[in-house]
Amino acid sequence: METLKNKVVLITGANRGIGKSLVKACLEKGARKIYATARDVNKIPDFGNDRVVALTLDITDNTQILEVLEKTKDTEVLINNAGVLSPGNILEGEINAIENDMNVNYLGTIQMMQAFAPILEKNTPSKIINIASIVAYSPLPSIAGYSASKTALYSATLSVRIELEKKGVTVHAVNPGAIDTDMNKGSDWEMPSSDEIATIILDKVETGTLDIVPDEIGLGMYNKWKEAPSKLAAFFSELYHSK
Ligand SMILES: NC(=O)c1ccc[n+]([C@@H]2O[C@H](COP(=O)([O-])OP(=O)(O)OC[C@H]3O[C@@H](n4cnc5c(N)ncnc54)[C@H](OP(=O)(O)O)[C@@H]3O)[C@@H](O)[C@H]2O)c1
């Protein structure tokens, strides 16, 4: 088992939600240093621990990515958590919103992987952990642009997993169902907290699970998909048309 104890971790979108919880969970796991990055460095909470180093990082800005890279060359675990969600289906969805989801969730995460791969190859054994979504397996049409961006991200994750597999870099995909964060504001579903889920994600990473579905709601959906992809599609169809 390859634990996170004494590891140097970089987390994107660390100011709130799952990213913030992942910082706390990394502290609990005994990580040596955690680069907590966010678009607005002033929004990064005080974690009360000098193992946390706060840095400004918008993952769609390649200049900022390269500036951060210069300061974080000891990174051993890259957690690509930052993401956005615009509601809307394909036929009536705002094209700018669909483009923004793709820019952040897919292209932004790819830029991060391209920038950090060379140093992760030096700092082996190392890891990339990409937070995609359960909708990577089958689209939910009420969030169709987001679903497409996460399917694309999951595909890129599987590709990079193979590209790096002989280089000492393990690549994990995390595909949650529904977690209680700002992203799900207004939902009446009963959802687990991001603190709970962050600990489960890191436990599964430590045991070497490559594709991680950390929550019960997600697991229910994942099991339908595993039985037959059409079963998850039918479930999402019911959800979509029940509104
Ligand atoms: N919550 C769920 O049910 C769920 C399910 C499946 C997957 N996920 C995924 O989990 C990840 C975390 O989501 P969350 O639930 O914690 O949502 P959240 O509370 O809305 O947090 C999203 C985070 O991403 C950051 N972010 C957005 N655009 C960015 C950019 N261009 N550069 C850097 N950071 C950026 C946000 O920063 P700002 O504060 O600056 O906006 C924020 O820190 C996302 O990738 C999301 O798609 C969530």
Side-chain angles (χ1 to χ4, degrees):
M1 183 157 116
E2 210 177 274
T3 70
L4 294 162
K5 197 167 170 56
N6 291 325
K7 290 285 186 186
V8 178
V9 185
L10 187 147
I11 304 174
T12 62
N15 54 308
R16 58 191 171 102
I18 297 171
K20 175 182 163 189
S21 297
L22 283 165
V23 176
K24 292 193 274 179
C26 284
L27 282 171
E28 278 162 26
K29 289 279 183 194
R32 182 164 86 249
K33 199 193 290 178
I34 301 146
Y35 296 115
T37 74
R39 290 196 283 193
D40 181 351
V41 77
N42 298 314
K43 289 193 177 152
I44 298 175
D46 179 2
F47 291 96
N49 196 306
D50 59 11
R51 284 184 285 148
V52 179
V53 179
L55 293 169
T56 303
L57 178 58
D58 181 328
I59 65 162
T60 61
D61 182 336
N62 210 33
T63 306
Q64 273 187 27
I65 292 179
L66 297 178
E67 279 166 10
V68 166
L69 180 68
E70 278 307 307
K71 297 176 190 152
T72 61
K73 288 199 165 166
D74 51 353
T75 300
E76 296 166 297
V77 180
L78 169 65
I79 307 186
N80 288 309
N81 161 78
V84 288
L85 182 158
S86 304
N89 65 15
I90 291 292
L91 296 178
E92 293 140 4
E94 283 282 335
I95 207 74
N96 292 344
I98 292 171
E99 187 182 21
N100 189 49
D101 280 4
M102 202 53 104
N103 273 340
V104 177
N105 300 342
Y106 181 53
L107 298 174
T109 307
I110 287 183
Q111 288 195 133
M112 286 296 293
M113 291 196 287
Q114 288 184 341
F116 278 84
I119 66 144
L120 293 171
E121 285 175 39
K122 278 191 198 144
N123 300 340
T124 56
S126 54
K127 297 179 194 307
I128 296 175
I129 303 165
N130 288 342
I131 315 291
S133 167
I134 201 71
V135 296
Y137 296 116
S138 185
L140 177 55
S142 49
I143 50 170
Y146 175 80
S147 301
S149 73
K150 292 295 189 173
T151 302
L153 171 58
Y154 184 49
S155 170
T157 304
L158 297 182
S159 182
V160 173
R161 181 179 294 164
I162 296 170
E163 292 170 47
L164 293 177
E165 74 185 342
K166 297 193 191 311
K167 295 183 173 171
V169 189
T170 310
V171 180
H172 301 261
V174 181
N175 291 328
I179 318 299
D180 189 6
T181 68
D182 293 345
M183 203 169 263
N184 281 318
K185 234 183 220 161
S187 160
D188 48 15
W189 285 18
E190 195 144 313
M191 293 174 282
S193 72
S194 54
D195 282 354
E196 231 178 292
I197 288 307
T199 303
I200 293 171
I201 291 171
L202 297 188
D203 285 347
K204 299 245 180 231
V205 164
E206 287 189 328
T207 58
T209 310
L210 292 180
D211 284 0
I212 298 166
V213 181
D215 60 305
E216 289 300 321
I217 295 173
L219 274 173
M221 295 171 178
Y222 179 67
N223 288 334
K224 285 187 206 305
W225 176 82
K226 250 192 351 189
E227 244 179 80
S230 60
K231 290 206 172 168
L232 182 54
F235 177 72
F236 282 156
S237 167
E238 240 174 73
L239 264 186
Y240 181 67
H241 290 292
S242 68
K243 288 177 301 165

